[in-house]
Amino acid sequence: MAEIVIVTREAPIATVQLNRPEVRNAISEQLMDELVKVLAGLDGDDTIRCIVITGSDRAFSAGADIKDNFVNATPVTMLDQDLTSKWEAIRRIRTPIIAAVSGYALGGGCELAMACDIIVASESAQFGQPEINLGIIPGAGGTQRLTRTAGKYVANELILTGRLIKADEARAIGLVAQVYPGASWLEDAKALARAIAEKPPIAARLATEAVDLAWNSTLDAGLEFERKAFYLLFATDDKKEGVDAFMSKRKPTFKGT
Ligand code: COA
């Protein structure tokens, strides 16, 4: 049987491809468990410095598996799945994660992209939170992360109508960092990952943690964390290497120490 999550290690980057094409990469319980396992493994591997999560040309992910998860679901079965801890596990991955989206990123698929550190998209990408059409609302961060990204008025319009937006509009509302051509989107996303993987990994991890805090705390608490993380980095070999390289006009090589 084909793997539902395909991992390709090309150190210093790794690509994690969702692989349920017959259901547009809908997120079943099994897919979620596998994804959490795979990401935890990569996060523990020091040779991997940036992770790309992707799907296929046609779909990043069409969201929660409606047949598997919703048809006979009750509040109790939903609680039993313990989705919160699984989404939390993805959020806690310290290695920078890029969501490389082509085709549909809907519902939980859009929420998965938003749980990553950077979202890039092919021209064909379409994002949306269509849960309202099923009589429900986003349940894995959509109402919170989309609102923090696009603001209350845009988020409400998208969530209340279930309207899909294309890559350019997603970029205009701040959801997408870069839009790449349809022929090269995955290679372009990997090139971005390789560029990030060349940076000092301890600084990269602390940077994404600090950026997340800007969503999740007061300005004072965020500034406090940033200042301490900034000071902490002065104890690393990579800070010495970066400054030495600048002074001697050469390219730095960062070791992650
Ligand atoms: N869960 C389960 N199955 C899904 C799915 C999902 N979220 N999204 C798509 N599929 C299945 C379809 O039921 C279909 O199965 P079938 O071949 O047995 O009929 C197959 O994937 C292909 O989907 P189809 O709709 O024919 O493909 P499409 O390319 O024309 O359209 C979508 C793709 C994603 C626009 C459409 O399938 C869709 O709207 N899916 C639901 C999205 C959604 O509401 N997500 C939020 C869930 S909370």
Side-chain angles (χ1 to χ4, degrees):
M1 219 172 84
E3 291 170 89
I4 55 175
V5 176
I6 300 171
V7 182
T8 310
R9 281 182 156 82
E10 297 165 293
I13 71 165
T15 306
V16 174
Q17 185 193 0
L18 310 183
N19 187 38
R20 299 186 73 214
E22 68 288 358
V23 286
R24 308 290 180 263
N25 292 329
I27 305 171
S28 58
E29 202 174 346
Q30 198 197 353
L31 176 64
M32 191 64 176
D33 289 345
E34 193 60 24
L35 182 61
V36 168
K37 197 173 88 188
V38 154
L39 289 175
L42 292 172
D43 203 30
D45 179 345
D46 285 346
T47 68
I48 300 301
R49 294 186 179 179
C50 191
I51 299 167
V52 177
I53 299 184
T54 194
S56 64
D57 276 332
R58 194 159 185 183
F60 178 74
S61 167
D65 189 318
I66 299 170
K67 296 171 207 166
D68 189 62
N69 290 349
F70 289 171
V71 176
N72 296 313
T74 68
V76 173
T77 60
M78 294 302 286
L79 264 173
D80 275 351
Q81 283 188 43
D82 194 17
L83 284 170
T84 311
S85 69
K86 295 173 190 172
W87 283 97
E88 199 54 27
I90 293 177
R91 182 180 162 208
R92 295 284 169 210
I93 300 295
R94 295 176 314 151
T95 309
I97 307 181
I98 299 172
V101 175
S102 180
Y104 297 109
L106 307 183
C110 189
E111 290 168 310
L112 175 60
M114 289 192 289
C116 297
D117 298 300
I118 299 175
I119 306 176
V120 296
S122 99
E123 291 161 326
S124 77
Q126 293 197 62
F127 296 83
Q129 297 288 165
E131 290 89 343
I132 196 98
N133 297 324
L134 301 171
I136 54 177
I137 65 170
T143 63
Q144 304 304 298
R145 293 200 172 102
L146 190 58
T147 306
R148 281 166 159 79
T149 301
K152 168 179 166 179
Y153 309 105
V154 173
N156 267 328
E157 189 253 333
L158 293 175
I159 291 166
L160 294 180
T161 62
R163 181 170 73 86
L164 308 194
I165 58 172
K166 297 202 169 124
D168 284 343
E169 187 175 351
R171 187 163 194 220
I173 65 168
L175 186 60
V176 160
Q178 297 287 340
V179 179
Y180 298 133
S184 63
W185 63 275
L186 188 53
E187 274 320 304
D188 292 341
K190 286 186 186 180
L192 174 64
R194 279 191 290 271
I196 291 170
E198 280 187 10
K199 307 293 181 202
I202 303 173
R205 287 177 171 189
L206 287 174
T208 53
E209 203 176 329
V211 169
D212 261 354
L213 260 190
W215 269 16
N216 213 18
S217 70
T218 61
L219 180 60
D220 279 347
L223 289 172
E224 190 64 24
F225 176 85
E226 180 195 76
R227 193 161 34 242
K228 291 193 174 135
F230 176 66
Y231 295 154
L232 181 68
L233 288 164
F234 281 77
T236 62
D237 295 331
D238 282 346
K239 173 258 155 194
K240 188 170 181 304
E241 167 66 6
V243 173
D244 282 354
F246 175 80
M247 297 303 284
S248 47
K249 299 188 188 295
R250 63 175 173 83
K251 195 169 179 271
T253 305
F254 295 115
K255 295 203 296 277
T257 54

